[in-house]
Amino acid sequence: MQLFIEIYGFLSVVLRGFILAAQSVAVGGLAFLLLLVWPLGPRLAGAGEALERRALRLIFLAASGLLAAELLAAAALTAMLVGTLEIPAQEAAGARAVAVALVAGVIATIIAVSARRAQRGGAAIRRAAPVLAALLIGVQAGSTHAASQFDGAAVLACAEFLHMAGAAVWIGGIPYFLMALTDVADSTARARVAARFSAMSVGAVAALLAGGGLMAVSYVGAAPAMYGTSYGVMLSAKIVLLLGLLLLGGLNFLAVRKLRQEPAGPLLRTRRFAETEIGVGLTVLFCAASLASLPPARDLANNQASFAEIVDRLEPRLPVRLDSPDFEALSAALPPEALKNLLPGAQPPRSPADIAWSEYNHHWAGLFVIAMGVMALLERVSRRLAPVMRHWPLVFVGLAGFLFLRADEAVWPLGRLGLIESLRDPEIAQHRLLTLLIVIFGLFEWQVRQGRIKAWWAAYVFPVSTATAAAFLLTHSHALANLKEETLIEITHTPLALVGVAAGWSRWLELRLDGGAKRMAGFVWPIGFILAGLMLVFYREA
C-alpha cells in the first residue's frame, strides 16, 4: 500500500491524461457526426454511410476507454484515501472526485452503447449526441480547479467548459477528418468535407483560446507567477505546444483553401500535418493533466522563484562537471544509524556533494545526446561520413548504461537499495522506465537503419518513442518540500520535454513527407537533439 501511495501522484496524472484524450476523441466524434457527417451526408457522393459507421466505431472505442480509465481513477483514488486517511473504503468512495469519475463513467457507458446501437441501425444517438457531449464535458469541467474557487467558480467552470469543448472538437475531431479524407473518394465532396472541418476547427480554436485565456488570467494572477511557479512553467509549456499546433493547423487551413480551388489536388501534406496535429494534441492533453495536478500560481505568492534566481540557475557556466564526487561524500553513503531519526519515506537533506553528483550525471548525459545529434546531422550532410554516422543509435545504449549505473546513487550497484526495492520511489521508477525506453528504441532504431527489420511500421517506433517519452517527461514531477526549488528544477526539465516533442514529430514528418519539406524535417530533429544535449551539459541544481 505504501508503494501505491508513493506513486499515486504520477499515476493520477497519467490517468488524467488518458481520460482527457479519450474524452476528446469521444466528444470530437460526436461533434464530427453532428456538424459534418449528418448535415453533409447526402452530398458526400455515397461515402456518408461508410464514414458514419467508421466514426461510430471509433466513438465506441474511445468511450469504452474512457469508462475504463474513469473506473481505474475512481478505484485508485479510493485506495489512496483509505491508505492515507485510514478511513473505511465506503467512506472514501463517497469523496467528490470519486463521484465525478463514476458519473463520467456512466455517461461514457451511455455514449458507447448508443454508438454500438447506431452501428446496427439505431437512431437515438442523433438526438442524444449534443446532450451527451455537453454532459460529459460539463461533469469534467466541474471537477477542475474551478470547483475549489471561492470567487468566480461559475465563470471559471464555464471557461473550462469552453476550453475542453474547443479541444475536443478540434483535436478530438482530427482522427475523423483523416478518416473522411480516406473514405470520401470524390474530390469535390472531399473538398467540401475539408472546408467544413476547417470552419469547425476555427470555431473550436476560438472557444479554446477564450476559455484558456480567462483561466490563465485568473489562476496565474501576475506576470512573475508565470515564470516563478511550477504552474506557470507548465502553462508556458502548454502555450508553446499550442502554438505548434496552431502552426500545423494554419498550414492545413491554407491547404484546404487551395483544395477549394483545385479539388483534385494533392492531399499528402494535409494528411501528414493532421497526423502530427494528433500527436502534438495528445501531448497538450497530457500537459493539461499535469497542470490540473498543480496548485494555481496565484496561490503561491510567497513561494515563487524570482527572475534573478531563474537566470542564475539557467546561465551556462564552464567548465562543465565531468568528475564525480566520491561516493562516500554522498547522503546515500550515510550509515543506517544516521538516518534513524528521519520520518518513514523521508530523504536526508541534499549536500553539496549530492548536487555535484546529479550535475555530473546530467553533463555526461548531455555529451551522449550531443554526439547523437551531431552524428545524425553528419549522416545527412556528408556522403563520406554517412556509413559511419548512420550507427548513431548505438550511442543510446551507452547513454542508458551510464544512466542505469550512475543516475540514482542510492540504488544498486552503488547504493544500499536493491533494484526492485528502489522502484518504490516514484522518481527512481520514472528514471528506470525512461532508461528502458532508451535501450529499446536505441537498439531497435539501429536494426531498422541496418535494414534488418523491414516491417513497414518499424521506422515509426523511433519518432513515436521519442515523442511519447517527451510527453511523459511533462508528467514527471519533483515533489519537494521547497516549492521554489521545485519550480527551478521544473524550469530545467520542461524545455527538454518540448525539444523532445519537436524532435519526435519532425522525424515523423521526415518519414511521411516528400520533397523539400521532408529534407527540412530531417534537419530539425538532429538539431533538436543537439539543443537538448546542450541543455543537459549546462544543467545546474544550485
Side-chain angles (χ1 to χ4, degrees):
M1 176 57 80
Q2 184 61 34
L3 172 61
F4 173 77
I5 292 172
E6 289 171 0
I7 66 171
Y8 176 77
F10 173 66
L11 176 65
S12 65
V13 172
V14 173
L15 273 175
R16 179 72 177 167
F18 277 113
I19 286 171
L20 290 177
Q23 170 189 288
S24 295
V25 175
V27 174
L30 292 175
F32 193 81
L33 289 175
L34 195 64
L35 301 176
L36 194 151
V37 176
W38 291 333
L40 287 186
R43 292 183 285 166
L44 294 183
E49 289 187 10
L51 180 58
E52 181 180 2
R53 282 196 298 274
R54 290 189 68 193
L56 288 168
R57 191 178 305 127
L58 183 54
I59 291 170
F60 170 77
L61 292 174
S64 300
L66 176 59
L67 169 62
E70 294 286 10
L71 292 179
L72 193 55
L77 178 57
T78 301
M80 193 275 291
L81 292 175
V82 169
T84 53
L85 302 180
E86 298 181 350
I87 57 177
Q90 187 176 3
E91 185 177 344
R96 185 175 181 277
V98 175
V100 167
L102 293 177
V103 171
V106 170
I107 298 172
T109 303
I110 296 172
I111 292 174
V113 171
S114 300
R116 179 62 85 187
R117 287 186 174 178
Q119 282 182 271
R120 297 169 181 166
I125 198 169
R126 290 185 176 242
R127 296 186 298 275
V131 177
L132 291 172
L135 279 177
L136 186 56
I137 297 285
V139 167
Q140 299 288 13
S143 65
T144 59
H145 285 312
S148 60
Q149 303 304 305
F150 292 109
D151 299 319
V155 174
L156 288 170
C158 290
E160 188 73 69
F161 183 94
L162 269 181
H163 194 61
M164 285 189 180
V169 174
W170 178 27
I171 299 171
I174 296 173
Y176 303 91
F177 176 55
L178 282 172
M179 278 183 192
L181 293 181
T182 301
D183 288 357
V184 181
D186 181 80
S187 57
T188 302
R190 198 165 52 211
R192 192 173 289 132
V193 167
R196 176 65 69 96
F197 185 72
S198 180
M200 287 170 54
S201 298
V202 169
V205 168
L208 184 149
L209 293 178
L214 184 58
M215 287 190 293
V217 169
S218 177
Y219 293 146
V220 173
M226 191 68 183
Y227 57 77
T229 64
S230 293
Y231 187 95
V233 172
M234 197 55 67
L235 178 59
S236 301
K238 191 179 170 189
I239 291 172
V240 171
L241 289 169
L242 185 61
L243 289 175
L245 267 181
L246 289 173
L247 174 63
L248 290 167
L251 292 172
N252 263 344
F253 179 78
L254 295 176
V256 168
R257 286 185 62 183
K258 190 174 181 181
L259 204 59
R260 287 180 185 169
Q261 300 163 356
E262 189 183 351
L267 287 171
L268 181 68
R269 292 192 179 186
T270 301
R271 293 177 193 270
R272 303 308 175 233
F273 288 147
E275 292 167 0
T276 308
E277 279 186 82
I278 293 174
V280 178
L282 289 174
T283 309
V284 170
L285 295 176
F286 272 82
C287 189
S290 183
L291 197 61
S293 70
L294 297 169
R298 72 177 185 189
D299 294 343
L300 302 174
N302 298 321
N303 291 286
Q304 297 178 8
S306 69
F307 186 73
E309 288 172 320
I310 293 170
V311 171
D312 181 67
R313 181 62 60 91
L314 297 179
E315 182 184 12
R317 292 181 186 174
L318 293 173
V320 298
R321 196 184 297 275
L322 300 179
D323 293 323
S324 70
D326 294 335
F327 178 74
E328 289 70 23
L330 305 178
S331 299
L334 291 173
E337 54 269 20
L339 308 176
K340 63 182 181 182
N341 293 326
L342 292 176
L343 295 173
Q347 300 295 324
R350 302 192 78 207
S351 67
D354 294 328
I355 293 173
W357 178 276
S358 178
E359 291 180 351
Y360 152 84
N361 286 330
H362 283 83
H363 296 175
W364 268 106
L367 294 179
F368 278 104
V369 177
I370 289 175
M372 284 186 278
V374 170
M375 289 177 72
L377 206 54
L378 289 175
E379 182 189 6
R380 281 155 177 75
V381 300
S382 171
R383 290 184 179 179
R384 186 170 60 85
L385 295 176
V388 176
M389 296 298 115
R390 65 186 301 197
H391 295 290
W392 65 264
L394 290 178
V395 182
F396 273 123
V397 181
L399 171 62
F402 175 81
L403 293 176
F404 181 80
L405 294 174
R406 308 289 286 188
D408 296 295
E409 69 280 10
V411 181
W412 179 90
L414 295 175
R416 298 190 186 90
L417 280 176
L419 188 59
I420 303 301
E421 184 185 6
S422 69
L423 300 181
R424 295 169 64 89
D425 186 317
E427 190 171 330
I428 294 176
Q430 290 173 55
H431 288 164
R432 295 303 187 198
L433 175 62
L434 289 175
T435 301
L436 181 62
L437 285 174
I438 289 170
V439 172
I440 291 173
F441 75 62
L443 286 176
F444 196 90
E445 179 68 6
W446 180 67
Q447 296 269 11
V448 170
R449 286 175 175 269
Q450 300 306 306
R452 296 173 184 167
I453 300 177
K454 301 182 184 301
W456 66 268
W457 50 265
Y460 300 108
V461 170
F462 172 68
V464 171
S465 298
T466 302
T468 302
F472 272 94
L473 189 57
L474 288 173
T475 68
H476 177 79
S477 63
H478 296 78
L480 304 176
N482 187 330
L483 294 178
K484 184 187 293 186
E485 188 60 29
E486 180 181 325
T487 299
L488 290 171
I489 291 180
E490 301 297 347
I491 283 175
T492 60
H493 282 67
T494 302
L496 286 170
L498 296 176
V499 169
V501 171
W505 290 111
S506 59
R507 172 60 178 161
W508 176 276
L509 287 175
E510 181 189 15
L511 292 171
R512 302 284 285 170
L513 285 171
D514 58 10
K518 177 186 180 73
R519 287 191 293 276
M520 183 181 297
F523 281 101
V524 169
W525 68 265
I527 292 173
F529 266 52
I530 294 173
L531 287 175
L534 288 172
M535 290 179 200
L536 289 168
V537 162
F538 293 112
Y539 172 83
R540 290 174 46 240
E541 291 188 6

